[in-house]
Amino acid sequence: MAECALSLASSSSVLSRISPTRFSPIRRPILLTSSFVAGKPLFCSHPHRRNSVLSTNSWRSQCRTKASMAERVSAKVEVYDSEEELAVALAKYTADLSEKFCKERDAFTVVVSGGSLIKSLRKLVEPPYIDSIDWSKWHVFWVDERVVPKDHPDSNYLLAYDGFLSKIPIPAGHVYAINDALSAEAAADDYETCLRHLVKSKILDISKESGFPKFDVMLLGMGPDGHIASLFPGHPLVHEKEKWVTFIKDSPKPPPNRITFTFPVINSSANIVLAIVGAGKADVVHKSLGDDKSSDLLPVQMVSPEGELVWFLDKDAASKL
C-alpha cells in the first residue's frame, strides 16, 4: 500500500518556514425554524418561520426534513453575532466530541476542509483545549485536496498546517495527506487505499448502514456557489455512488486537478459541521435553510449524515433567513 500518512517532520519545505508553537455583543433573541432539503431526494413540507424566544448564547433551531423512504433527518442551526463567537462555540463542540469518541473507541477521526473553516478552528489551539484535548488520539483527514505540492499556496494541507496542525502535538503519523507526486486519479486511488487500510486496522469505523467509512466528525465549509468538498453544482461527481474517493480534472474553481470524498462517504459520518461565515454566502444559506422550493439541489443541500448535522452561522451568513 502506498503510504498516505504524512510525516510532519519530513516535510522540510514546510517546516523550514514554520516553527510549531503551542499556544460580548448583545444577541438578538430569534428562533429560526425552517425546513430544508438535506440529502437523498428530500422534500420541504413546511414554510420557514421566525419566532421570538429568549436566548443567551445563540439563535438555535431544530430543523427537520422529510426524506424519501420515510427517513427523518434532523439538523441544528446555530447563529452567532460574530465569527469570533462562532469559533468559540465550534471549539467547544469539537472538544466535546473528541472526549466522547476517545473514551468510546480510543481514537477520534476528524475530516477538515479548506477555506475559512481552518481559521474558525483557531480556538482549539488556545487554552483550555490545547492542554485538555488528547491530541494523541486524533487522526486528521481532508475531505478534498488540490493536487499541488504541499508547500503550494493552493494546498489545503498547507492551510491546515499553518493555521492548526503546526500548533498541536498530534503524532506525525496521524496526519493523512495525499501523495502529491501522483496524478489526480492515482492520488484519489491511493487515498482510498489508505482509508481501506485504516478500516482494516480498526482506526476508522465502517458504517453498518452504508458500508462506507464512518468518520467521527467532518468539519466543513461551503463555497458561495453551494459546493462542499470538491463537489460542485451540476457536476457529475455529485452522483458518484461507488467510490470512496474520486478525482476531478475540470474543477470550476482553480486549480482544476483535485481529489474529493464522495457523498456516500460524507453522508456516512457520525457528525457533520457546516461552518459558514460572511454575507457573501447568505443567498445560498437562505436557499438551503429558507423556504426556497427549487427542485435543483445544491451540493450543500445533499449533506445528510447518519448522525448529527449542525450549521454554525455568523449573523452575516444568516442575514437572509
Side-chain angles (χ1 to χ4, degrees):
M1 183 196 79
E3 183 59 53
C4 69
L6 174 70
S7 169
L8 297 181
S10 67
S11 185
S12 59
S13 61
V14 175
L15 289 175
S16 63
R17 301 187 298 100
I18 304 168
S19 297
T21 58
R22 286 182 61 127
F23 281 83
S24 113
I26 298 175
R27 302 170 181 84
R28 287 176 286 172
I30 292 178
L31 172 67
L32 301 179
T33 304
S34 62
S35 293
F36 66 100
V37 183
K40 316 158 181 159
L42 306 181
F43 304 92
C44 295
S45 57
H46 302 288
H48 171 261
R49 303 183 301 279
R50 288 190 178 188
N51 300 310
S52 294
V53 297
L54 293 177
S55 173
T56 57
N57 293 339
S58 64
W59 313 326
R60 297 170 185 260
S61 70
Q62 184 73 19
C63 304
R64 295 196 175 273
T65 55
K66 186 185 297 181
S68 61
M69 301 177 66
E71 286 183 89
R72 275 291 189 178
V73 180
S74 63
K76 295 178 182 177
V77 178
E78 301 199 1
V79 181
Y80 297 91
D81 265 1
S82 67
E83 190 276 338
E84 176 74 9
E85 290 185 0
L86 182 153
V88 170
L90 182 58
K92 184 179 187 308
Y93 178 87
T94 306
D96 288 347
L97 283 182
S98 175
E99 182 179 10
K100 172 181 182 290
F101 283 104
C102 288
K103 287 180 179 178
E104 290 179 357
R105 49 186 303 271
D106 204 36
F108 186 42
T109 54
V110 183
V111 177
V112 298
S113 65
S116 61
L117 181 278
I118 298 300
K119 179 184 177 183
S120 294
L121 295 179
R122 67 188 180 277
K123 297 299 181 180
L124 282 170
V125 304
E126 299 175 1
Y129 306 117
I130 186 64
D131 299 312
S132 63
I133 288 175
D134 188 350
W135 299 104
S136 69
K137 305 291 177 59
W138 277 48
H139 295 261
V140 176
F141 306 81
W142 279 263
V143 72
D144 72 324
E145 180 58 286
R146 293 86 179 269
V147 185
V148 295
K150 292 180 182 67
D151 59 357
H152 191 282
D154 288 332
S155 168
N156 282 342
Y157 166 78
L158 180 62
L159 180 67
Y161 185 88
D162 284 345
F164 184 58
L165 293 174
S166 65
K167 302 174 183 180
I168 60 175
I170 186 171
H174 292 189
V175 178
Y176 303 90
I178 71 166
N179 184 344
D180 56 75
L182 302 175
S183 67
E185 182 174 8
D189 289 343
D190 179 66
Y191 211 74
E192 180 167 329
T193 299
C194 178
L195 298 185
R196 291 183 182 276
H197 173 75
L198 293 171
V199 167
K200 289 181 180 179
S201 61
K202 306 299 184 182
I203 292 172
L204 182 57
D205 270 349
I206 199 78
S207 167
K208 295 179 181 178
E209 179 179 323
S210 70
F212 285 88
K214 184 172 186 174
F215 292 91
D216 297 330
V217 67
M218 291 198 180
L219 305 172
L220 308 180
M222 180 197 74
D225 60 351
H227 83 265
I228 63 160
S230 284
L231 300 169
F232 293 90
H235 197 281
L237 286 186
V238 301
H239 304 297
E240 173 60 49
K241 294 180 173 61
E242 302 297 329
K243 293 182 178 180
W244 293 11
V245 185
T246 190
F247 68 98
I248 180 171
K249 290 186 174 181
D250 57 349
S251 169
K253 179 182 177 182
N257 294 320
R258 301 162 175 242
I259 74 161
T260 184
F261 284 2
T262 60
F263 267 120
V265 171
I266 293 170
N267 287 337
S268 294
S269 299
N271 300 275
I272 293 180
V273 165
L274 289 169
I276 302 169
V277 300
K281 298 179 181 180
D283 285 335
V284 173
V285 169
H286 176 260
K287 177 178 173 63
S288 300
L289 296 177
D291 55 4
D292 187 294
K293 295 181 175 60
S294 171
S295 60
D296 297 327
L297 294 181
L298 296 172
V300 71
Q301 293 175 283
M302 299 170 70
V303 176
S304 178
E306 291 184 8
E308 183 177 65
L309 171 62
V310 185
W311 293 67
F312 282 75
L313 309 174
D314 71 353
K315 67 179 181 180
D316 291 334
S319 60
K320 296 190 177 181
L321 289 174

